[in-house]
Amino acid sequence: QVQLVESGGGVVQPGKSLRLSCAASGFDFKTYSLHWVRQAPGKGLEWVSVISYNAAYTYYGDSVKGRFTISRDNSDKRLYLQMDSLRGDDTAVYYCVRPREGGGWYYPPSLDFNYWGPGTLVSVVS
Amino acid sequence: QSVLTQPPSASGAPGQRVTISCSGGDWNVRNYYVNWYHQVPGGVPRLLIYKDNLRPSGVPDRFSGSKSGTSASLAISGLRSEDEGDYFCAAWDDSLREGVFGGGTKLTVL
């Protein structure tokens, strides 16, 4: 069965960096684009970033552009989110999510996420 | 302020029908697929509707999606207590070149 498991969250000071990881299993990892979605405590969902199946294309939400970098290792079946210059409003649960269909890159990327990881909490506090 | 606008709350009695709206613009709702999610407190979001009006396997046909112009809607018929929670719409915004979610609608079953 499809599994996505995030790790790497924790407490960090403003201005510092953190790297999230998402370990995937149960599907052909290298054929799917993957996304990060976050949710601040008590707030709604916010799309963060997407990476194409072959890492050729990446897009970012405006609030993280220039500070976060999405990447993937298809041989290791892992998705990453490098978060630099962290701010208090980056505090959230970060979800690794997979859309329904893989098999190539199409623009715009699909936002039909039928698989979600349990999430990892990032707290940015001074 | 979300690019996609949803009412903050909705409610209905068991067995009734409720609709939740998602209002956007030409750069998102009108020209790109809308997806809907349900999240119960403490839980992970669950895909309810994709590509405007399609249901993933396992989602009851009590849930339906529609779209007209720059507005999309989620309808839930035969309300049940387990339908309570937060509902979010999502679409790609080609002006911003990013994914966008609505602010969410909290559904209460009276």
Side-chain angles (χ1 to χ4, degrees), chain B residues 79-91:
Chain B
L79 264 182
R80 304 173 68 157
S81 58
E82 58 259 41
D83 297 334
E84 284 199 333
D86 296 315
Y87 289 82
F88 299 92
C89 59

Side-chain angles (χ1 to χ4, degrees), chain B residues 16-107:
Chain B
Q16 283 190 332
R17 182 178 186 270
V18 296
T19 60
I20 297 171
S21 62
C22 174
S23 178
D26 292 343
W27 293 105
N28 40 69
V29 172
R30 183 186 294 280
N31 290 305
Y32 298 101
Y33 289 128
V34 175
N35 308 280
W36 289 92
Y37 296 89
H38 176 220
Q39 185 180 33
V40 298
V44 170
R46 174 196 181 199
L47 180 66
L48 279 182
I49 297 289
Y50 66 98
K51 290 185 179 180
D52 298 341
N53 56 18
L54 301 179
R55 278 187 313 276
S57 60
V59 174
D61 58 7
R62 302 187 296 108
F63 296 89
S64 62
S66 62
K67 189 171 79 174
S68 178
T70 59
S71 187
S73 292
L74 172 72
I76 310 170
S77 60
L79 264 182
R80 304 173 68 157
S81 58
E82 58 259 41
D83 297 334
E84 284 199 333
D86 296 315
Y87 289 82
F88 299 92
C89 59
W92 185 259
D93 188 293
D94 203 34
S95 172
L96 301 172
R97 295 224 137 190
E98 62 183 72
V100 289
F101 281 92
T105 299
K106 185 176 183 63
L107 175 65

Side-chain angles (χ1 to χ4, degrees), chain A residues 39 62 100 107 111 113 116, chain B residues 37 39 44 92 94 98:
Chain A
Q39 187 169 33
D62 192 57
R100 288 179 49 258
Y107 183 85
L111 301 184
F113 310 128
W116 295 64
Chain B
Y37 296 89
Q39 185 180 33
V44 170
W92 185 259
D94 203 34
E98 62 183 72

